[in-house]
């Protein structure tokens, strides 16, 4: 009762911000809806980390819970009729900011199609704010121990641990059409195909001993040994070896 009176006196009531909604049309059980107003003059909308990807004219201000959010169930982000203005760009389902309040880890879903399927993506974005390789920090899986576990960047993965496969491993099939020597001028997000070809060139040129790829123009496997690219010797299968594939 005291809370209700305080709310009425200070804010004119919480009707628009805290609502009890029936669970269904004929249900006597309710659920809570918590909301904030739309206010394009909110001072936080002036900061890129808040407004980027949102339209302040139709997006409610951020609703803050000043404490630890805990649930015995789960946290879920779902679409709705106005999805593009309820999630950042309609894709980001989670963002966690680093100590500089600019760099962030991001989880997003269905921003892109790759190989014919929608993609869920996770990355650690730096404060550079473009799509260059330097704009992405390492995203680490496995542990928080340095020089252990597995690092993932925009164009490179470093495995400190061993890798065990239960299926085949396929070398990169690289030919002249897959190489661009000079860095494309356009942003990598808009010019992703050409930018990927430059990544091929850069990684092959800067690769160390043990690097391998399949030269599809010449149908040979090559490996770098003592700083030089060398052909890997192969031979036909023995006559008594047959595969059903």
């Amino acid at each position: 009762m005291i809370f209700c009176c305080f709310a009425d006196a200070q804010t004119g009531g919480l009707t628009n911000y805290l609502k009890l909604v029936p669970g269904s049309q004929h249900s006597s059980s309710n659920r809570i809806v918590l909301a904030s107003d739309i206010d394009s003059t909110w001072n936080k909308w002036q900061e890129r980390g808040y407004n980027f990807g949102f339209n302040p004219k139709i997006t409610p201000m951020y609703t803050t819970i000043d404490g630890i959010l805990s649930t015995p169930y789960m946290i879920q982000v779902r679409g709705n009729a106005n999805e593009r203005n309820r999630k950042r760009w309609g894709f980001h389902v989670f963002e966690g900011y680093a100590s500089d309040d600019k760099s962030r880890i991001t989880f997003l879903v269905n921003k892109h199609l790759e190989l014919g399927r929608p993609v869920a993506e996770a990355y650690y974005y730096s404060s550079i704010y473009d799509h260059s390789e330097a704009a992405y920090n390492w995203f680490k899986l496995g542990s928080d121990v340095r020089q252990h576990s597995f690092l993932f960047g925009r164009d490179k993965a470093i495995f400190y641990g061993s890798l065990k496969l239960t299926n085949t491993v396929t070398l990169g099939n690289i030919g002249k059409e897959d190489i661009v020597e000079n860095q494309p001028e356009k942003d990598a997000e808009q010019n992703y195909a050409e930018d990927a070809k430059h990544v091929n060139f850069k990684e092959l040129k800067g690769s160390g001993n043990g690097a391998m790829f399949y030269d599809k123009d010449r149908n040979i496997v090559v490996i770098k040994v003592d700083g030089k690219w060398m052909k890997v010797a192969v031979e036909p299968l023995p006559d008594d070896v047959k595969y059903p594939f």
Side-chain angles (χ1 to χ4, degrees):
M1 184 67 177
I2 294 175
F3 174 77
C4 292
C5 293
F6 177 82
D8 288 340
Q10 299 296 320
T11 68
L14 292 174
T15 305
N16 294 328
Y17 314 108
L18 181 62
K19 298 181 181 179
L20 284 177
V21 180
S24 64
Q25 186 175 0
H26 303 292
S27 175
S28 60
S29 299
N30 298 312
R31 60 187 181 88
I32 292 176
V33 176
L34 187 65
S36 295
D37 283 331
I38 295 173
D39 184 356
S40 61
T41 66
W42 184 42
N43 64 323
K44 289 294 186 180
W45 285 137
Q46 306 304 314
E47 300 180 25
R48 181 189 178 105
Y50 284 82
N51 69 52
F52 210 50
F54 289 126
N55 182 351
K57 294 181 179 179
I58 56 179
T59 304
M61 293 178 288
Y62 286 38
T63 298
T64 300
I65 296 176
D66 192 6
I68 296 171
L69 182 63
S70 177
T71 172
Y73 299 101
M74 61 184 288
I75 296 175
Q76 188 177 91
V77 178
R78 299 181 68 90
N80 55 66
N82 198 24
E83 183 184 70
R84 291 189 63 83
N85 299 292
R86 304 294 179 177
K87 295 187 298 190
R88 196 188 294 270
W89 292 287
F91 308 124
H92 291 205
V93 297
F94 175 80
E95 293 179 354
Y97 281 78
S99 57
D100 62 6
D101 205 34
K102 295 180 180 179
S103 306
R104 68 172 189 265
I105 57 171
T106 300
F107 298 160
L108 62 160
V109 64
N110 284 19
K111 180 180 181 180
H112 300 113
L113 288 174
E114 300 224 16
L115 304 178
R117 296 184 182 182
V119 182
E121 300 165 70
Y123 57 85
Y124 181 10
Y125 196 53
S126 74
S127 58
I128 296 177
Y129 288 145
D130 60 27
H131 294 99
S132 66
E133 184 180 14
Y136 295 85
N137 295 327
W138 293 112
F139 198 104
K140 188 174 187 181
L141 299 177
S143 78
D144 61 350
V145 182
R146 286 177 292 181
Q147 296 188 24
H148 291 70
S149 300
F150 309 89
L151 294 174
F152 295 86
R154 195 198 74 162
D155 297 308
K156 183 181 293 186
I158 296 177
F159 286 22
Y160 289 118
S162 62
L163 174 64
K164 182 179 180 179
L165 300 176
T166 60
N167 209 307
T168 62
V169 58
T170 302
L171 296 176
N173 283 231
I174 302 174
K176 291 182 179 179
E177 66 179 8
D178 305 302
I179 296 292
V180 170
E181 184 171 350
N182 297 317
Q183 174 71 55
E185 294 183 2
K186 294 182 181 179
D187 182 86
E189 172 71 3
Q190 282 71 47
N191 197 31
Y192 57 88
E194 291 300 295
D195 195 82
K197 293 178 182 180
H198 175 67
V199 171
N200 287 345
F201 174 82
K202 183 174 63 174
E203 290 300 317
L204 289 173
K205 185 174 180 63
S207 62
N209 293 331
M212 299 179 68
F213 72 98
Y214 181 79
D215 183 342
K216 69 180 187 181
D217 294 336
R218 300 171 179 83
N219 289 320
I220 59 175
V221 175
V222 295
I223 183 171
K224 184 172 282 189
V225 178
D226 196 21
K228 298 179 180 180
W229 289 109
M230 303 184 72
K231 175 184 175 181
V232 176
V234 297
E235 59 183 33
L237 290 172
D239 293 338
D240 60 344
V241 176
K242 304 292 182 182
Y243 296 120
F245 41 78

